[in-house]
Amino acid sequence: MKLVWDKIGERLFETGVSQGVVYPQNAAGVYPLGYAWNGLTGVTESPSGAEANPVYADNIKYLNIISAEEFGATIEAYTYPDAFGVCDGSAEVAGGVKIGQQKRSAFGLCYRTAIGNDIDNADYGYKLHMIYGAVAAPSEKAYATINESPEAITLSWEVTTTPVIVTGFKPTASLIVDSTKVDPAKLAALELILYGNVGVEPRLPLPDEITTVFASAAPLALALSSSLPIDSATAVVVTSNIVLTFNNKINEENVILTTAAGVIIPFAKSWDVAGKIMTIIPNANLTAATAHLIAIAGVNDVYGQTLAPVVRKFTTA
């Protein structure tokens, strides 16, 4: 295949930093709780090492021995969450009273950068960046009087890291997930872990757990498993609800209930906890001795799959 440069839609770039979360590390080396980092303005990743150390023999360059690689970063922000205080060497001795020069706890960090292209600008996708085993060095804080051109104080931390174990690979302190290249449902599952939900605390999973999330089996092809009343049913009770069951969790749908003559029947709807069973509850009793149609269209599941439009028919008693 002949190479083509600068194709439409492939002129990619990366920009921005947002949705920072800090996860203090506990004594077991895991990151059980995350805190939103407001005011995060920049993360500069600074890998180092991997330098060639030449070895000479027989009057020639015999080989290169590559030094170990390390991962560091610089974090910049206007402020930081209170939970980051223990990572910045401070301790609270009383409510609102803190002292410095204390033990610095390790932490994990997650933040997001935008992926853009020539069509969608910065809305093409995003990358999730995760940093493990981070320790922040003491940082300078420069305070100045307010004048005719006031500026918010920018805080900065130099970060070093200790890599964590990754099965089958060398230990690492950084991991990146590209939203444009992974299964949307699996990405959503990871973000549920990272950001939490009602009744679910946010936490930073280790690389092996993240690998498990994305290595799970491919989803089933989206299908309408069943419908009640069944297709072409007769003598259906006019007080009946309609139940549609899908095999995957549904993200969006557009279901319309009408008579065969085209009269639209308004209804309420509800979903089960798993998001697979939709119950249609007509606002009033159905018309007796009348053919009805259920037009099922616009159905997409959490895996990004689309169901072809389906029509089911039944007749009331």
Side-chain angles (χ1 to χ4, degrees), residues 80-236:
Y80 56 87
D82 289 340
F84 185 71
V86 295
C87 308
D88 195 30
S90 66
E92 190 171 61
V93 294
V97 181
K98 292 185 178 181
I99 57 174
Q101 298 173 283
Q102 304 303 300
K103 178 183 176 181
R104 291 176 175 267
S105 298
F107 63 95
L109 181 71
C110 175
Y111 60 95
R112 183 166 136 169
T113 56
I115 302 173
N117 67 4
D118 51 313
I119 297 175
D120 300 306
N121 202 356
D123 296 324
Y124 177 63
Y126 58 89
K127 290 181 180 179
L128 291 174
H129 301 252
M130 281 148 275
I131 298 175
Y132 299 90
V135 176
S139 59
E140 181 181 89
K141 299 179 179 68
Y143 301 99
T145 186
I146 296 177
N147 52 37
E148 71 279 1
S149 301
E151 295 182 358
I153 297 170
T154 301
L155 308 176
S156 176
W157 296 268
E158 295 296 325
V159 172
T160 56
T161 61
T162 301
V164 296
I165 299 297
V166 184
T167 301
F169 296 89
K170 291 182 178 180
T172 186
S174 68
L175 185 150
I176 300 173
V177 177
D178 187 333
S179 73
T180 67
K181 298 178 180 179
V182 299
D183 186 315
K186 296 174 183 177
L187 178 60
L190 173 61
E191 291 179 332
L192 182 64
I193 298 172
L194 292 171
Y195 303 141
N197 204 340
V198 178
V200 180
E201 296 290 359
R203 62 182 178 86
L204 179 62
L206 294 173
D208 279 353
E209 183 180 353
I210 293 175
T211 300
T212 300
V213 170
F214 288 99
S216 57
L220 296 172
L222 177 58
L224 177 64
S225 301
S226 66
S227 60
L228 291 175
I230 62 173
D231 192 28
S232 300
T234 58
V236 174

Side-chain angles (χ1 to χ4, degrees), residues 231-233 236 238 242 257-261 263 265 285-295 311-317:
D231 192 28
S232 300
V236 174
V238 296
I242 296 153
L257 176 62
T258 69
T259 65
V263 177
I265 300 171
N285 289 349
L286 301 173
T287 305
T290 301
H292 292 74
L293 301 176
I294 312 165
V311 176
R312 293 287 185 263
K313 179 181 179 180
F314 66 89
T315 303
T316 50

Side-chain angles (χ1 to χ4, degrees), residues 29-98:
V30 296
Y31 309 86
L33 198 58
Y35 302 87
W37 192 322
N38 298 319
L40 185 67
T41 61
V43 179
T44 303
E45 298 182 357
S46 307
S48 61
E51 297 176 352
N53 295 293
V55 175
Y56 294 85
D58 296 322
N59 297 327
I60 62 171
K61 187 174 183 179
Y62 189 65
L63 53 83
N64 273 329
I65 299 177
I66 305 300
S67 65
E69 185 173 346
E70 296 187 6
F71 182 89
T74 302
I75 301 172
E76 296 180 274
Y78 289 125
T79 185
Y80 56 87
D82 289 340
F84 185 71
V86 295
C87 308
D88 195 30
S90 66
E92 190 171 61
V93 294
V97 181
K98 292 185 178 181

